[in-house]
Amino acid sequence: YQRRVHGKVAKTISNIVNEHYITIYVILSGLVAAISWNLITWWFGIPSSSSHTLIGGFAGAGITNALYMGFDGLKAINLHLVLTTIAYIVLAPVIGLVIAYFVTVLILHICKRARPAIAERWFRRGQLVSSAALSFAHGGNDAQKVMGILYATLFTTHIIKNGDAMPTWIPLSCYTAIALGTMSGGWKIVKTMGTKITKVTPLEGMSAETAGAITLLFTAALGIPVSTTHTITGSIMGVGLTKRVSAVRWGVTYNLVLAWIITIPMYSA
């Protein structure tokens, strides 16, 4: 499933910049921009989108290279793919929010006569399943973006042709790297997601993770590169809204959204 469906996301990423304008320097510039922004937002505990930083940096470097070659900068990028990606910066968290809201309401309705202690125990167990589903969807979406960049590197340097099968070492290395990075370096962002947006109980965590996984799998099947960060943030807001509007800390949410908005234009520039 990962190779067949999620490979669509990698293909989208590798086609963001038209092949004629891709060089190893364009790819390197996009990666440096993405890594720089990731380190800055990680340091301040801001859960920004690595995905859109990478896309913005890659597209911006491609446009610059086209201008250097004496062509129209916009001809360097696949505008349809870029605009679709930008649209889902808004749509992905909204979809996650709506699904999480209704999943939480449905579970509350089903379990309204259950004993709180027993229900809590089952929600904790259910969260193991939902977190595994979210991790699967996360790896299958976010890791694909770097896979697309590596694939573009290979056909740019003529190691393979554009359209050839992706070498097995690419997905293996990307999935391993994203797992190690998540395990070792994300605790500031974990704190923001788990406590600063709204208080998350096992029920709400299970609902948010389920909604996030559904959204990511849906967009991956369409080949649309979305942000896991954006999606799960929207899902957490959705479960918070089931309690009351004030249960969501909108000041924190505003800062997160502002960071999202500036990501692509900043690193395209």
Side-chain angles (χ1 to χ4, degrees), residues 38 41-42 45-48 185-194 229:
N38 284 344
T41 54
W42 165 78
I46 302 171
S48 67
W187 288 109
K188 288 184 179 180
I189 294 174
V190 168
K191 184 177 180 181
T192 298
M193 302 296 284
T229 307

Side-chain angles (χ1 to χ4, degrees), residues 191-255:
K191 184 177 180 181
T192 298
M193 302 296 284
T195 62
K196 292 187 177 181
I197 297 174
T198 188
K199 183 179 179 182
V200 179
T201 65
L203 162 63
E204 292 158 353
M206 184 179 71
S207 299
E209 290 165 353
T210 300
I214 291 171
T215 305
L216 291 173
L217 292 172
F218 167 71
T219 53
L222 297 177
I224 301 170
V226 301
S227 168
T228 300
T229 307
H230 293 186
T231 304
I232 195 62
T233 300
S235 300
I236 292 171
M237 291 168 60
V239 299
L241 288 174
T242 61
K243 293 178 283 191
R244 60 189 183 280
V245 174
S246 61
V248 178
R249 296 185 178 96
W250 295 105
V252 175
T253 305
Y254 171 78
N255 291 333

Side-chain angles (χ1 to χ4, degrees), residues 4-5 10 17 31 38 56 60 63 74-75 95 102 107-108 111 120 151 188 217-218 233 238 243-244 255-256 269:
R4 176 174 60 85
V5 175
V17 178
L31 289 174
N38 284 344
I63 291 171
L74 291 179
K75 289 184 178 180
I95 293 170
F102 284 106
I107 293 173
L108 287 172
C111 300
E120 182 86 356
Y151 184 77
K188 288 184 179 180
L217 292 172
F218 167 71
T233 300
K243 293 178 283 191
R244 60 189 183 280
N255 291 333
L256 298 183

Side-chain angles (χ1 to χ4, degrees), residues 89-251:
I89 291 178
V90 177
L91 291 175
V94 171
I95 293 170
L97 184 152
V98 172
I99 294 176
Y101 181 89
F102 284 106
V103 167
T104 306
V105 170
L106 178 62
I107 293 173
L108 287 172
H109 179 72
I110 293 172
C111 300
K112 61 184 178 181
R113 289 188 173 86
R115 291 183 179 180
I118 296 175
E120 182 86 356
R121 190 183 314 134
W122 280 105
F123 293 149
R124 290 182 183 277
R125 293 174 181 174
Q127 198 169 5
L128 294 175
V129 178
S130 63
S131 61
L134 180 62
S135 297
F136 176 83
H138 174 215
N141 200 298
D142 279 33
Q144 288 288 326
K145 287 119 181 178
V146 183
M147 286 166 58
I149 295 295
L150 289 176
Y151 184 77
T153 304
L154 292 183
F155 70 67
T156 298
T157 52
H158 308 294
I159 295 174
I160 62 173
K161 293 181 180 179
N162 192 3
D164 287 352
M166 183 180 294
T168 304
W169 66 266
I170 292 181
L172 286 177
S173 59
C174 289
Y175 286 128
T176 301
I178 200 169
L180 292 174
T182 302
M183 180 177 68
S184 62
W187 288 109
K188 288 184 179 180
I189 294 174
V190 168
K191 184 177 180 181
T192 298
M193 302 296 284
T195 62
K196 292 187 177 181
I197 297 174
T198 188
K199 183 179 179 182
V200 179
T201 65
L203 162 63
E204 292 158 353
M206 184 179 71
S207 299
E209 290 165 353
T210 300
I214 291 171
T215 305
L216 291 173
L217 292 172
F218 167 71
T219 53
L222 297 177
I224 301 170
V226 301
S227 168
T228 300
T229 307
H230 293 186
T231 304
I232 195 62
T233 300
S235 300
I236 292 171
M237 291 168 60
V239 299
L241 288 174
T242 61
K243 293 178 283 191
R244 60 189 183 280
V245 174
S246 61
V248 178
R249 296 185 178 96
W250 295 105

